[in-house]
Amino acid sequence: QIKSIIANASFVVLPVKENSYSGGTTTLLQSMAMGKPVLVSQTRAIKNGYHLENGKNCFFVKPEVERELLSTILYMIQHPQQIAEVGNHARQSILTHLTWNQYLDKLFAVVSHINAKKRPHDKTFENTV
């Protein structure tokens, strides 16, 4: 049902409080993958690691700054062509940097690196994989 709601939306708004985990990230990335422009709070957890660029493939606002959130929503309503371009860049960013295969390749590289560093007589690693 959520997928249908996002598919029919002109844009997605994700106001997130600053916290120790990356709240809203799944919805953010799924919306971007669907080519939707996303307005998201720029928390520490969201700021890095997802190739996000304010005004290019998403819109950032400071967490819990209501006036900034509302003015950006108003901008998005008033500029449908510009935000559609951001949505196109959002989808392209996902396809370029954040596909499932890319995630698996990075995970495999980390596991391979750890495996290469283990000592030959250390059976602990082998028993945990």
Side-chain angles (χ1 to χ4, degrees):
Q1 195 175 25
I2 296 297
K3 183 178 176 182
S4 175
I5 292 169
I6 293 171
N8 291 314
S10 298
F11 57 86
V12 176
V13 178
L14 295 170
V16 182
K17 291 184 176 187
E18 189 64 67
N19 51 51
S20 60
Y21 65 93
S22 186
T25 305
T26 301
T27 303
L28 167 68
L29 298 178
Q30 288 173 340
S31 299
M32 289 176 67
M34 293 173 72
K36 297 297 175 178
V38 180
L39 167 58
V40 64
S41 303
Q42 189 180 28
T43 61
R44 284 187 301 270
I46 288 175
K47 187 176 182 177
N48 299 312
Y50 299 106
H51 302 274
L52 302 176
E53 296 179 56
N54 187 40
K56 171 107 174 147
N57 60 8
C58 70
F59 293 97
F60 283 136
V61 293
K62 293 181 188 97
E64 301 183 67
V65 179
E66 186 176 327
R67 182 178 299 262
E68 187 178 356
L69 178 70
L70 293 175
S71 67
T72 306
I73 291 171
L74 183 59
Y75 172 85
M76 294 174 81
I77 291 169
Q78 293 173 340
H79 298 89
Q81 280 104 1
Q82 290 91 333
I83 68 160
E85 189 65 27
V86 171
N88 291 335
H89 284 127
R91 176 152 174 78
Q92 198 55 45
S93 294
I94 296 294
L95 295 174
T96 302
H97 302 289
L98 298 167
T99 66
W100 185 246
N101 286 338
Q102 290 167 329
Y103 173 78
L104 292 177
D105 289 345
K106 290 175 187 176
L107 182 61
F108 181 77
V110 169
V111 171
S112 295
H113 178 74
I114 292 169
N115 193 31
K117 289 194 169 262
K118 75 174 182 74
R119 293 173 290 202
H121 66 279
D122 184 1
K123 300 291 184 194
T124 305
F125 182 78
E126 291 173 4
N127 292 335
T128 63
V129 189

